[in-house]
């Protein structure tokens, strides 16, 4: 069975500093990977996805992620965060059957 | 355009009661998914519909949970004999035919069982 692990439950970061959110997955079959963001009292919004091709994926709001098959990782990065990036971020994998398997989430708190 | 909508946004019920949660997917989306998000955790898959039929219900925790999608559009998640452990945010998502890699999520229904 596929599993997704987010290594950090909370990440405090100062405004305009870079941030990296770590995600590792386990799977014995081909996998698609996603990052979603959840702002307070809102639904999940897709940031970016990796399906195939280039391992560096660029998403909305200046986020990017790199698929690393040898390390089974899909870490999310942003070079300079804003206060508005305060939210919870979820990494997810999708193997056979269309359902998403989510990690436990990483809460990002951007401080002024 | 209109996104996925879920009603009610909040539901408070007593232990042992029956509840129904409704999901209106994006118009024309053929795939519909239900997930459950407990406090401090990531969403967990419950059930997936392709059209009117449940293509995968492996995530339903027990036989108190049931979901339908009779006309291939709106879906209802039904929970019988609710327990305090059922308290969570129930999320619905939909995908267009041929693009199951992107699921559009609704805002969720927060269920509280007292």
């Amino acid at each position: 069975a596929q599993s997704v692990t987010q290594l950090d439950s909370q990440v405090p970061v100062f405004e305009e500093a870079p941030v990296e959110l770590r995600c590792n997955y386990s799977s014995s079959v081909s996998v698609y990977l996603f990052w979603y963001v959840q702002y307070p009292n809102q639904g999940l919004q897709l940031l970016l996805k990796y399906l195939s091709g280039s391992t560096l994926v660029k998403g909305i709001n200046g986020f990017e992620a790199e698929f690393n098959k040898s390390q089974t990782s899909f870490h999310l990065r942003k070079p300079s965060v804003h206060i508005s990036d305060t939210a919870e971020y979820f990494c997810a994998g999708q193997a056979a059957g269309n359902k998403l398997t989510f990690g436990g989430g990483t809460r990002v708190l951007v401080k002024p | 355009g209109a996104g996925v909508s879920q009603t009610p946004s909040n539901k408070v019920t007593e232990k042992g009661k029956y509840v129904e949660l409704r999901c209106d997917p994006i118009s024309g989306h053929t795939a519909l998914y239900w997930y459950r998000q407990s406090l401090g955790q990531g969403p967990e898959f419950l059930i997936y519909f392709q059209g009117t039929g449940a293509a995968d219900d492996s995530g339903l925790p027990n036989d108190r949970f049931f979901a339908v999608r009779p006309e291939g559009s709106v879906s209802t998640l039904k929970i019988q004999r609710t327990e305090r452990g059922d308290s969570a945010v129930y999320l619905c998502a939909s995908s267009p035919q041929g693009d199951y890699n992107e699921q559009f999520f609704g805002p969720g229904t927060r269920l509280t069982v007292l």
Side-chain angles (χ1 to χ4, degrees):
Chain A
Q2 184 184 47
S3 68
V4 176
T5 303
Q6 292 182 244
L7 300 171
D8 307 294
S9 59
Q10 292 189 65
V11 173
V13 57
F14 286 105
E15 193 174 17
E16 298 184 7
V19 70
E20 178 180 81
L21 309 184
R22 297 179 292 168
C23 173
N24 287 89
Y25 69 93
S26 66
S27 177
S28 60
V29 298
S30 298
V31 63
Y32 304 131
L33 293 162
F34 307 80
W35 276 98
Y36 283 84
V37 60
Q38 188 174 37
Y39 298 105
N41 301 315
Q42 294 188 29
L44 292 164
Q45 181 182 359
L46 182 66
L47 277 177
L48 49 79
K49 60 185 175 184
Y50 172 78
L51 304 181
S52 65
S54 173
T55 57
L56 183 62
V57 181
K58 293 189 182 297
I60 61 171
N61 300 340
F63 284 94
E64 64 180 33
E66 184 154 18
F67 172 67
N68 188 318
K69 188 173 183 178
S70 63
Q71 297 185 12
T72 60
S73 68
F74 190 56
H75 300 335
L76 180 72
R77 302 184 184 94
K78 185 169 182 177
S80 176
V81 296
H82 303 289
I83 294 290
S84 59
D85 292 322
T86 293
E88 188 146 24
Y89 293 79
F90 292 95
C91 182
Q94 184 184 50
N98 299 317
K99 62 186 177 185
L100 292 171
T101 299
F102 287 88
T106 298
R107 190 174 299 275
V108 173
L109 176 61
V110 181
K111 303 177 180 179
Chain B
V4 177
S5 64
Q6 293 186 245
T7 54
S9 55
N10 280 284
K11 175 71 177 177
V12 180
T13 190
E14 293 180 344
K15 180 175 179 295
K17 299 290 188 182
Y18 168 83
V19 297
E20 290 189 351
L21 312 179
R22 176 187 168 105
C23 172
D24 280 87
I26 293 172
S27 178
H29 280 195
T30 56
L32 185 146
Y33 312 80
W34 283 99
Y35 295 84
R36 177 169 72 173
Q37 186 175 16
S38 300
L39 191 63
Q41 298 181 24
E44 293 179 309
F45 170 78
L46 294 176
I47 186 170
Y48 151 56
F49 287 90
Q50 184 58 254
T52 60
D56 183 354
D57 64 358
S58 62
L60 294 177
N62 51 59
D63 61 6
R64 294 188 297 106
F65 288 74
F66 189 71
V68 296
R69 195 185 184 200
E71 297 178 356
S73 178
V74 170
S75 176
T76 304
L77 178 65
K78 307 179 180 192
I79 310 174
Q80 299 177 322
R81 304 183 305 280
T82 52
E83 300 177 356
R84 292 193 178 89
D86 299 335
S87 295
V89 176
Y90 289 81
L91 299 171
C92 177
S94 68
S95 295
Q97 186 170 9
D99 188 9
Y100 305 121
N101 299 129
E102 182 154 1
Q103 297 182 17
F104 296 83
F105 282 82
T109 293
R110 182 175 299 277
L111 175 66
T112 303
V113 182
L114 301 177

PDB file of all heavy atoms in Angstrom, chain B residues 2 5 12 28 30-33 36 39 47-48 52-53 55 69-70 73 76-78 80 91 101 110-111 113-114:
ATOM      1  N   ALA B   2     -18.773  27.929 -10.773  1.00  0.00           N
ATOM      2  CA  ALA B   2     -19.107  27.330  -9.492  1.00  0.00           C
ATOM      3  C   ALA B   2     -18.194  26.156  -9.227  1.00  0.00           C
ATOM      4  O   ALA B   2     -17.917  25.336 -10.104  1.00  0.00           O
ATOM      5  CB  ALA B   2     -20.566  26.884  -9.504  1.00  0.00           C
ATOM      6  N   SER B   5     -19.629  22.268  -4.034  1.00  0.00           N
ATOM      7  CA  SER B   5     -20.290  22.789  -2.839  1.00  0.00           C
ATOM      8  C   SER B   5     -20.726  21.638  -1.938  1.00  0.00           C
ATOM      9  O   SER B   5     -21.058  20.549  -2.426  1.00  0.00           O
ATOM     10  CB  SER B   5     -21.482  23.674  -3.200  1.00  0.00           C
ATOM     11  OG  SER B   5     -22.468  22.925  -3.866  1.00  0.00           O
ATOM     12  N   VAL B  12     -24.052  19.483  13.870  1.00  0.00           N
ATOM     13  CA  VAL B  12     -23.872  18.985  15.233  1.00  0.00           C
ATOM     14  C   VAL B  12     -24.989  17.995  15.494  1.00  0.00           C
ATOM     15  O   VAL B  12     -26.164  18.298  15.261  1.00  0.00           O
ATOM     16  CB  VAL B  12     -23.899  20.119  16.271  1.00  0.00           C
ATOM     17  CG1 VAL B  12     -23.711  19.550  17.673  1.00  0.00           C
ATOM     18  CG2 VAL B  12     -22.826  21.157  15.971  1.00  0.00           C
ATOM     19  N   GLY B  28     -20.737  18.514 -14.772  1.00  0.00           N
ATOM     20  CA  GLY B  28     -20.083  17.753 -15.830  1.00  0.00           C
ATOM     21  C   GLY B  28     -18.974  16.837 -15.346  1.00  0.00           C
ATOM     22  O   GLY B  28     -18.502  15.982 -16.107  1.00  0.00           O
ATOM     23  N   THR B  30     -17.418  13.704 -13.853  1.00  0.00           N
ATOM     24  CA  THR B  30     -17.958  12.351 -13.756  1.00  0.00           C
ATOM     25  C   THR B  30     -17.471  11.618 -12.501  1.00  0.00           C
ATOM     26  O   THR B  30     -18.135  10.714 -12.021  1.00  0.00           O
ATOM     27  CB  THR B  30     -17.559  11.531 -14.988  1.00  0.00           C
ATOM     28  OG1 THR B  30     -16.133  11.553 -15.121  1.00  0.00           O
ATOM     29  CG2 THR B  30     -18.189  12.103 -16.254  1.00  0.00           C
ATOM     30  N   ALA B  31     -16.319  11.998 -12.000  1.00  0.00           N
ATOM     31  CA  ALA B  31     -15.765  11.323 -10.828  1.00  0.00           C
ATOM     32  C   ALA B  31     -16.024  12.154  -9.578  1.00  0.00           C
ATOM     33  O   ALA B  31     -15.912  13.381  -9.599  1.00  0.00           O
ATOM     34  CB  ALA B  31     -14.261  11.097 -10.994  1.00  0.00           C
ATOM     35  N   LEU B  32     -16.362  11.462  -8.495  1.00  0.00           N
ATOM     36  CA  LEU B  32     -16.640  12.144  -7.228  1.00  0.00           C
ATOM     37  C   LEU B  32     -16.019  11.340  -6.104  1.00  0.00           C
ATOM     38  O   LEU B  32     -16.107  10.105  -6.088  1.00  0.00           O
ATOM     39  CB  LEU B  32     -18.158  12.294  -7.019  1.00  0.00           C
ATOM     40  CG  LEU B  32     -18.615  13.098  -5.787  1.00  0.00           C
ATOM     41  CD1 LEU B  32     -19.894  13.867  -6.118  1.00  0.00           C
ATOM     42  CD2 LEU B  32     -18.790  12.233  -4.577  1.00  0.00           C
ATOM     43  N   TYR B  33     -15.398  12.026  -5.162  1.00  0.00           N
ATOM     44  CA  TYR B  33     -14.665  11.385  -4.071  1.00  0.00           C
ATOM     45  C   TYR B  33     -15.125  11.956  -2.724  1.00  0.00           C
ATOM     46  O   TYR B  33     -15.417  13.136  -2.609  1.00  0.00           O
ATOM     47  CB  TYR B  33     -13.163  11.664  -4.192  1.00  0.00           C
ATOM     48  CG  TYR B  33     -12.578  11.444  -5.561  1.00  0.00           C
ATOM     49  CD1 TYR B  33     -12.718  12.393  -6.570  1.00  0.00           C
ATOM     50  CD2 TYR B  33     -11.863  10.287  -5.857  1.00  0.00           C
ATOM     51  CE1 TYR B  33     -12.189  12.204  -7.827  1.00  0.00           C
ATOM     52  CE2 TYR B  33     -11.318  10.084  -7.111  1.00  0.00           C
ATOM     53  CZ  TYR B  33     -11.485  11.048  -8.096  1.00  0.00           C
ATOM     54  OH  TYR B  33     -10.951  10.850  -9.338  1.00  0.00           O
ATOM     55  N   ARG B  36     -12.282  11.979   4.598  1.00  0.00           N
ATOM     56  CA  ARG B  36     -12.557  12.416   5.972  1.00  0.00           C
ATOM     57  C   ARG B  36     -11.263  12.944   6.565  1.00  0.00           C
ATOM     58  O   ARG B  36     -10.216  12.293   6.455  1.00  0.00           O
ATOM     59  CB  ARG B  36     -13.083  11.238   6.805  1.00  0.00           C
ATOM     60  CG  ARG B  36     -13.318  11.585   8.263  1.00  0.00           C
ATOM     61  CD  ARG B  36     -14.080  10.498   8.965  1.00  0.00           C
ATOM     62  NE  ARG B  36     -13.301   9.299   9.190  1.00  0.00           N
ATOM     63  CZ  ARG B  36     -13.735   8.267   9.905  1.00  0.00           C
ATOM     64  NH1 ARG B  36     -14.940   8.314  10.464  1.00  0.00           N
ATOM     65  NH2 ARG B  36     -12.972   7.205  10.058  1.00  0.00           N
ATOM     66  N   LEU B  39      -9.107  15.861  13.143  1.00  0.00           N
ATOM     67  CA  LEU B  39      -8.339  16.999  13.651  1.00  0.00           C
ATOM     68  C   LEU B  39      -6.848  16.696  13.665  1.00  0.00           C
ATOM     69  O   LEU B  39      -6.415  15.669  14.194  1.00  0.00           O
ATOM     70  CB  LEU B  39      -8.831  17.349  15.050  1.00  0.00           C
ATOM     71  CG  LEU B  39      -8.318  18.661  15.621  1.00  0.00           C
ATOM     72  CD1 LEU B  39      -8.804  19.832  14.769  1.00  0.00           C
ATOM     73  CD2 LEU B  39      -8.772  18.839  17.069  1.00  0.00           C
ATOM     74  N   ILE B  47     -14.534   6.915  -0.272  1.00  0.00           N
ATOM     75  CA  ILE B  47     -15.220   6.259  -1.383  1.00  0.00           C
ATOM     76  C   ILE B  47     -15.083   7.109  -2.634  1.00  0.00           C
ATOM     77  O   ILE B  47     -14.930   8.338  -2.559  1.00  0.00           O
ATOM     78  CB  ILE B  47     -16.710   6.024  -1.036  1.00  0.00           C
ATOM     79  CG1 ILE B  47     -17.425   5.204  -2.120  1.00  0.00           C
ATOM     80  CG2 ILE B  47     -17.429   7.345  -0.798  1.00  0.00           C
ATOM     81  CD1 ILE B  47     -18.823   4.735  -1.701  1.00  0.00           C
ATOM     82  N   TYR B  48     -15.132   6.437  -3.789  1.00  0.00           N
ATOM     83  CA  TYR B  48     -14.971   7.098  -5.079  1.00  0.00           C
ATOM     84  C   TYR B  48     -16.064   6.587  -6.020  1.00  0.00           C
ATOM     85  O   TYR B  48     -16.293   5.378  -6.122  1.00  0.00           O
ATOM     86  CB  TYR B  48     -13.569   6.792  -5.604  1.00  0.00           C
ATOM     87  CG  TYR B  48     -13.363   6.768  -7.096  1.00  0.00           C
ATOM     88  CD1 TYR B  48     -13.682   7.863  -7.885  1.00  0.00           C
ATOM     89  CD2 TYR B  48     -12.806   5.645  -7.710  1.00  0.00           C
ATOM     90  CE1 TYR B  48     -13.463   7.838  -9.247  1.00  0.00           C
ATOM     91  CE2 TYR B  48     -12.600   5.615  -9.068  1.00  0.00           C
ATOM     92  CZ  TYR B  48     -12.924   6.708  -9.844  1.00  0.00           C
ATOM     93  OH  TYR B  48     -12.709   6.693 -11.198  1.00  0.00           O
ATOM     94  N   THR B  52     -22.612   6.840 -11.614  1.00  0.00           N
ATOM     95  CA  THR B  52     -23.542   6.497 -10.534  1.00  0.00           C
ATOM     96  C   THR B  52     -23.016   5.411  -9.620  1.00  0.00           C
ATOM     97  O   THR B  52     -23.515   5.229  -8.507  1.00  0.00           O
ATOM     98  CB  THR B  52     -24.889   6.035 -11.114  1.00  0.00           C
ATOM     99  OG1 THR B  52     -24.650   4.879 -11.926  1.00  0.00           O
ATOM    100  CG2 THR B  52     -25.537   7.116 -11.965  1.00  0.00           C
ATOM    101  N   GLY B  53     -22.027   4.678 -10.074  1.00  0.00           N
ATOM    102  CA  GLY B  53     -21.558   3.535  -9.316  1.00  0.00           C
ATOM    103  C   GLY B  53     -20.335   3.825  -8.466  1.00  0.00           C
ATOM    104  O   GLY B  53     -19.479   4.624  -8.842  1.00  0.00           O
ATOM    105  N   ALA B  55     -16.942   3.031  -7.533  1.00  0.00           N
ATOM    106  CA  ALA B  55     -15.831   2.297  -8.134  1.00  0.00           C
ATOM    107  C   ALA B  55     -14.877   1.751  -7.085  1.00  0.00           C
ATOM    108  O   ALA B  55     -14.168   0.778  -7.327  1.00  0.00           O
ATOM    109  CB  ALA B  55     -15.085   3.195  -9.112  1.00  0.00           C
ATOM    110  N   ARG B  69     -25.007   8.079  -5.228  1.00  0.00           N
ATOM    111  CA  ARG B  69     -24.917   9.108  -6.263  1.00  0.00           C
ATOM    112  C   ARG B  69     -25.884   8.673  -7.376  1.00  0.00           C
ATOM    113  O   ARG B  69     -25.469   8.291  -8.459  1.00  0.00           O
ATOM    114  CB  ARG B  69     -23.484   9.220  -6.792  1.00  0.00           C
ATOM    115  CG  ARG B  69     -23.229  10.488  -7.596  1.00  0.00           C
ATOM    116  CD  ARG B  69     -21.838  10.478  -8.185  1.00  0.00           C
ATOM    117  NE  ARG B  69     -21.563  11.737  -8.864  1.00  0.00           N
ATOM    118  CZ  ARG B  69     -20.619  11.883  -9.784  1.00  0.00           C
ATOM    119  NH1 ARG B  69     -19.850  10.848 -10.137  1.00  0.00           N
ATOM    120  NH2 ARG B  69     -20.416  13.061 -10.349  1.00  0.00           N
ATOM    121  N   PRO B  70     -27.167   8.716  -7.108  1.00  0.00           N
ATOM    122  CA  PRO B  70     -28.168   8.069  -7.953  1.00  0.00           C
ATOM    123  C   PRO B  70     -28.261   8.574  -9.385  1.00  0.00           C
ATOM    124  O   PRO B  70     -28.597   7.809 -10.285  1.00  0.00           O
ATOM    125  CB  PRO B  70     -29.480   8.319  -7.199  1.00  0.00           C
ATOM    126  CG  PRO B  70     -29.196   9.475  -6.319  1.00  0.00           C
ATOM    127  CD  PRO B  70     -27.753   9.378  -5.951  1.00  0.00           C
ATOM    128  N   SER B  73     -24.599  12.827 -10.339  1.00  0.00           N
ATOM    129  CA  SER B  73     -24.189  14.200 -10.054  1.00  0.00           C
ATOM    130  C   SER B  73     -24.042  14.374  -8.548  1.00  0.00           C
ATOM    131  O   SER B  73     -22.998  14.030  -7.998  1.00  0.00           O
ATOM    132  CB  SER B  73     -25.202  15.185 -10.634  1.00  0.00           C
ATOM    133  OG  SER B  73     -24.835  16.517 -10.313  1.00  0.00           O
ATOM    134  N   THR B  76     -24.644  11.849  -1.678  1.00  0.00           N
ATOM    135  CA  THR B  76     -24.971  11.969  -0.260  1.00  0.00           C
ATOM    136  C   THR B  76     -24.194  10.917   0.511  1.00  0.00           C
ATOM    137  O   THR B  76     -24.225   9.734   0.150  1.00  0.00           O
ATOM    138  CB  THR B  76     -26.473  11.779  -0.016  1.00  0.00           C
ATOM    139  OG1 THR B  76     -27.214  12.704  -0.812  1.00  0.00           O
ATOM    140  CG2 THR B  76     -26.801  12.024   1.458  1.00  0.00           C
ATOM    141  N   LEU B  77     -23.501  11.356   1.533  1.00  0.00           N
ATOM    142  CA  LEU B  77     -22.816  10.451   2.456  1.00  0.00           C
ATOM    143  C   LEU B  77     -23.719  10.282   3.667  1.00  0.00           C
ATOM    144  O   LEU B  77     -24.144  11.282   4.269  1.00  0.00           O
ATOM    145  CB  LEU B  77     -21.471  11.022   2.876  1.00  0.00           C
ATOM    146  CG  LEU B  77     -20.647  10.205   3.877  1.00  0.00           C
ATOM    147  CD1 LEU B  77     -20.220   8.870   3.250  1.00  0.00           C
ATOM    148  CD2 LEU B  77     -19.416  10.974   4.329  1.00  0.00           C
ATOM    149  N   LYS B  78     -24.014   9.040   4.012  1.00  0.00           N
ATOM    150  CA  LYS B  78     -24.960   8.757   5.087  1.00  0.00           C
ATOM    151  C   LYS B  78     -24.236   8.032   6.208  1.00  0.00           C
ATOM    152  O   LYS B  78     -23.494   7.074   5.945  1.00  0.00           O
ATOM    153  CB  LYS B  78     -26.105   7.897   4.557  1.00  0.00           C
ATOM    154  CG  LYS B  78     -26.767   8.491   3.314  1.00  0.00           C
ATOM    155  CD  LYS B  78     -27.893   7.624   2.788  1.00  0.00           C
ATOM    156  CE  LYS B  78     -28.509   8.270   1.550  1.00  0.00           C
ATOM    157  NZ  LYS B  78     -29.784   7.636   1.163  1.00  0.00           N
ATOM    158  N   GLN B  80     -24.990   6.198   9.860  1.00  0.00           N
ATOM    159  CA  GLN B  80     -25.981   5.710  10.811  1.00  0.00           C
ATOM    160  C   GLN B  80     -25.359   5.579  12.191  1.00  0.00           C
ATOM    161  O   GLN B  80     -24.152   5.366  12.317  1.00  0.00           O
ATOM    162  CB  GLN B  80     -26.502   4.341  10.361  1.00  0.00           C
ATOM    163  CG  GLN B  80     -27.193   4.346   9.011  1.00  0.00           C
ATOM    164  CD  GLN B  80     -27.613   2.941   8.583  1.00  0.00           C
ATOM    165  OE1 GLN B  80     -26.904   1.976   8.818  1.00  0.00           O
ATOM    166  NE2 GLN B  80     -28.775   2.837   7.963  1.00  0.00           N
ATOM    167  N   LEU B  91     -14.802  15.858   3.438  1.00  0.00           N
ATOM    168  CA  LEU B  91     -14.473  16.589   2.218  1.00  0.00           C
ATOM    169  C   LEU B  91     -14.976  15.835   0.999  1.00  0.00           C
ATOM    170  O   LEU B  91     -14.896  14.604   0.938  1.00  0.00           O
ATOM    171  CB  LEU B  91     -12.960  16.753   2.093  1.00  0.00           C
ATOM    172  CG  LEU B  91     -12.259  17.537   3.200  1.00  0.00           C
ATOM    173  CD1 LEU B  91     -10.749  17.420   3.060  1.00  0.00           C
ATOM    174  CD2 LEU B  91     -12.667  19.002   3.158  1.00  0.00           C
ATOM    175  N   ASN B 101      -6.322  13.139 -12.510  1.00  0.00           N
ATOM    176  CA  ASN B 101      -5.171  13.582 -11.738  1.00  0.00           C
ATOM    177  C   ASN B 101      -5.414  14.890 -11.014  1.00  0.00           C
ATOM    178  O   ASN B 101      -4.577  15.310 -10.224  1.00  0.00           O
ATOM    179  CB  ASN B 101      -3.944  13.714 -12.627  1.00  0.00           C
ATOM    180  CG  ASN B 101      -3.559  12.410 -13.272  1.00  0.00           C
ATOM    181  OD1 ASN B 101      -3.373  12.342 -14.476  1.00  0.00           O
ATOM    182  ND2 ASN B 101      -3.452  11.356 -12.477  1.00  0.00           N
ATOM    183  N   ARG B 110     -18.190  20.142   8.527  1.00  0.00           N
ATOM    184  CA  ARG B 110     -17.647  19.806   9.847  1.00  0.00           C
ATOM    185  C   ARG B 110     -18.729  19.111  10.651  1.00  0.00           C
ATOM    186  O   ARG B 110     -19.760  19.715  10.980  1.00  0.00           O
ATOM    187  CB  ARG B 110     -17.168  21.059  10.573  1.00  0.00           C
ATOM    188  CG  ARG B 110     -16.538  20.769  11.935  1.00  0.00           C
ATOM    189  CD  ARG B 110     -15.980  22.025  12.571  1.00  0.00           C
ATOM    190  NE  ARG B 110     -14.930  22.625  11.760  1.00  0.00           N
ATOM    191  CZ  ARG B 110     -13.660  22.237  11.770  1.00  0.00           C
ATOM    192  NH1 ARG B 110     -13.284  21.253  12.560  1.00  0.00           N
ATOM    193  NH2 ARG B 110     -12.772  22.847  11.012  1.00  0.00           N
ATOM    194  N   LEU B 111     -18.511  17.843  10.948  1.00  0.00           N
ATOM    195  CA  LEU B 111     -19.471  17.053  11.718  1.00  0.00           C
ATOM    196  C   LEU B 111     -18.971  16.924  13.156  1.00  0.00           C
ATOM    197  O   LEU B 111     -17.839  16.509  13.380  1.00  0.00           O
ATOM    198  CB  LEU B 111     -19.642  15.663  11.109  1.00  0.00           C
ATOM    199  CG  LEU B 111     -20.522  14.691  11.896  1.00  0.00           C
ATOM    200  CD1 LEU B 111     -21.971  15.175  11.921  1.00  0.00           C
ATOM    201  CD2 LEU B 111     -20.449  13.283  11.317  1.00  0.00           C
ATOM    202  N   VAL B 113     -20.114  15.133  16.712  1.00  0.00           N
ATOM    203  CA  VAL B 113     -21.011  14.200  17.381  1.00  0.00           C
ATOM    204  C   VAL B 113     -20.822  14.346  18.880  1.00  0.00           C
ATOM    205  O   VAL B 113     -19.729  14.110  19.402  1.00  0.00           O
ATOM    206  CB  VAL B 113     -20.744  12.753  16.932  1.00  0.00           C
ATOM    207  CG1 VAL B 113     -21.727  11.811  17.612  1.00  0.00           C
ATOM    208  CG2 VAL B 113     -20.843  12.626  15.423  1.00  0.00           C
ATOM    209  N   LEU B 114     -21.870  14.755  19.553  1.00  0.00           N
ATOM    210  CA  LEU B 114     -21.779  15.005  21.005  1.00  0.00           C
ATOM    211  C   LEU B 114     -22.052  13.750  21.817  1.00  0.00           C
ATOM    212  O   LEU B 114     -22.752  12.838  21.338  1.00  0.00           O
ATOM    213  CB  LEU B 114     -22.765  16.099  21.401  1.00  0.00           C
ATOM    214  CG  LEU B 114     -22.574  17.454  20.692  1.00  0.00           C
ATOM    215  CD1 LEU B 114     -23.646  18.419  21.118  1.00  0.00           C
ATOM    216  CD2 LEU B 114     -21.181  18.011  20.994  1.00  0.00           C
TER     217      LEU B 114
END
